[in-house]
Amino acid sequence: MGFYSDSNYKVRKDLDKVHENQFKNLGEPGSWGSGAQRIAIASQVREACYEKGIQERPGHSSNHDDTILPDVAKSLINKLSTSPKDFLQDSYTEAIDGGLTNEEYVEIVGIVSRVTDMDIFARGIGVELRPLPEPKDGLPARDRPLEAKQELAWVPTIPSHPEGGKLAEDLFGTGHKAYIMRALSLVPNENRMHMELENIQYLPVKNILIADYQHHDGLSRAQSEVVAGRISAFNECFF
Amino acid sequence: MDIGVPGGRELLDFSDALVGDDRKTLDAARIALANSIGEETIAGAAAVAANFTKNDRIANGCGIPTEPMVLKATKEIRAELNLNGFRSAINSSRHFPDDM
């Protein structure tokens, strides 16, 4: 049975599997957060979206210990979940001055972005939000990549290959890569998860320059770009 | 409004409703899109929309700039659509003011 087998609309099998695995991943210990903290982040995303009326509360409950997150993390999650267009450098500075490290910050941004993504997909196809997994025990890996350095984003990033070394090649491939492909690379696993969704939901990145490449049934590249552009305009995303 | 793409109006309405706060409008937009270009397009349109809600949060959350090559190539259309007015444009203009 598929992850979205209750959908009235056909969901491609590879996307179904990727989302199922991404949900499982949320409950596992991450690079800087425990499984319980990561599920608390995902739950906080949902609470913020229910509060704003941009998601519907599902029939199942997703209880979490909201005391596990500091107020500075909740504030970051609430703002980025519900109003990305208002998220400016002072929001980042507030989070760092409030005690989050850059590594913790990037992991939170990654989780907020992935949960928002998969929840909006569920809303789009008209199914309830998927239940969040039970958190798994274990310690975060705390594996800061030595290759990461301060480039032009607020947060450190791994430079494109060859400067970023073997890890850059593993994460992004060779040659110069745009910041959107490297933005979360301070936490390599979050960058991998982001790009996994990118490849399955938008199109395989290797095909991005093929103007008429069609990835989804019945939806031309031009039609996909109408949707992509409209969403990014709504979120006032300049990139 | 005809934007020159089959189902264009319905795709725009579906995108707007998907990030909006009215579930009935979304349900109606989904049906209208299915009637316009086929129900097999719903999951794909939802996937693309959802993907860009992710990218927008990553981009604005990490303060990443747009590459100079892209800035140079999009100068006219950005001016036409007033994209430089987006607040997140500062993440690019602070590094590449001459390309804005």
Side-chain angles (χ1 to χ4, degrees):
Chain A
M1 203 155 105
F3 197 52
Y4 294 112
S5 58
D6 54 333
S7 170
N8 291 328
Y9 301 98
K10 187 179 171 193
V11 176
R12 46 188 299 161
K13 284 183 185 167
D14 48 5
L15 189 155
D16 189 282
K17 194 67 192 167
V18 163
H19 278 203
E20 184 175 20
N21 289 338
Q22 291 252 350
F23 264 85
K24 280 183 192 160
N25 168 270
L26 292 172
E28 292 167 2
S31 296
W32 301 95
S34 68
Q37 287 170 321
R38 288 158 56 88
I39 291 300
I41 292 165
S43 296
Q44 187 70 33
V45 169
R46 289 187 167 179
E47 288 299 328
C49 292
Y50 302 149
E51 182 75 19
K52 196 171 177 186
I54 53 176
Q55 274 293 357
E56 293 73 34
R57 200 179 284 276
H60 56 78
S61 63
S62 57
N63 293 332
H64 74 284
D65 178 7
D66 68 1
T67 63
I68 206 169
L69 296 176
D71 287 344
V72 64
K74 288 181 189 170
S75 174
L76 160 61
I77 295 162
N78 293 347
K79 192 166 191 178
L80 192 59
S81 301
T82 63
S83 194
K85 68 181 179 184
D86 298 318
F87 204 93
L88 301 174
Q89 192 162 10
D90 58 347
S91 306
Y92 163 71
T93 305
E94 194 177 293
I96 299 301
D97 290 350
L100 294 179
T101 64
N102 272 310
E103 292 80 7
E104 291 164 341
Y105 177 90
V106 168
E107 187 158 329
I108 292 171
V109 169
I111 293 171
V112 168
S113 303
R114 289 197 286 134
V115 171
T116 308
D117 171 337
M118 293 186 284
D119 283 357
I120 286 183
F121 176 75
R123 193 174 193 240
I125 60 172
V127 299
E128 275 198 333
L129 299 187
R130 306 294 86 172
L132 294 171
E134 287 297 315
K136 296 271 197 311
D137 291 334
L139 295 173
R142 298 187 174 276
D143 51 354
R144 187 193 195 281
L146 296 173
E147 297 85 346
K149 60 182 256 191
Q150 196 68 50
E151 297 186 274
L152 300 183
W154 303 330
V155 296
T157 43
I158 296 177
S160 297
H161 187 267
E163 187 184 354
K166 185 103 180 65
L167 184 54
E169 185 177 4
D170 172 48
L171 287 171
F172 331 125
T174 55
H176 177 77
K177 301 297 176 189
Y179 273 97
I180 190 60
M181 294 177 68
R182 304 189 285 116
L184 302 176
S185 55
L186 183 60
V187 181
N189 193 51
E190 277 306 319
N191 210 86
R192 286 190 189 96
M193 302 305 270
H194 151 48
M195 292 309 297
E196 182 180 52
L197 292 173
E198 190 78 12
N199 280 304
I200 208 72
Q201 287 185 216
Y202 177 41
L203 50 78
V205 171
K206 65 181 181 186
N207 296 327
I208 203 161
L209 295 178
I210 303 173
D212 58 354
Y213 182 81
Q214 182 175 335
H215 181 58
H216 293 290
D217 280 352
L219 204 65
S220 69
R221 179 72 182 272
Q223 289 169 319
S224 291
E225 296 302 330
V226 167
V227 173
R230 190 66 157 196
I231 294 293
S232 292
F234 176 83
N235 289 329
E236 292 195 12
C237 185
F238 183 77
F239 97 93
Chain B
M1 180 174 66
D2 180 5
I3 61 169
V5 173
R9 177 72 264 167
E10 290 79 10
L11 286 164
L12 293 175
D13 289 346
F14 179 67
S15 303
D16 292 346
L18 190 47
V19 290
D21 61 4
D22 186 337
R23 181 59 187 248
K24 285 182 180 169
T25 300
L26 172 59
D27 292 341
R30 189 185 303 110
I31 291 168
L33 180 59
N35 289 339
S36 170
I37 54 174
E39 66 175 40
E40 72 278 12
T41 65
I42 298 297
V48 172
N51 185 68
F52 278 82
T53 65
K54 166 178 65 69
N55 288 0
D56 297 343
R57 282 166 176 79
I58 291 171
N60 287 8
C62 293
I64 60 172
T66 303
E67 312 296 310
M69 183 180 72
V70 175
L71 289 174
K72 285 184 175 76
T74 58
K75 209 162 191 167
E76 282 182 20
I77 195 163
R78 280 187 286 114
E80 196 177 320
L81 299 175
N82 193 30
L83 302 187
N84 291 349
F86 288 179
R87 279 165 288 179
S88 62
I90 195 171
N91 298 332
S92 298
S93 64
R94 72 192 175 108
H95 298 297
F96 310 113
D98 296 341
D99 293 324
M100 295 299 287

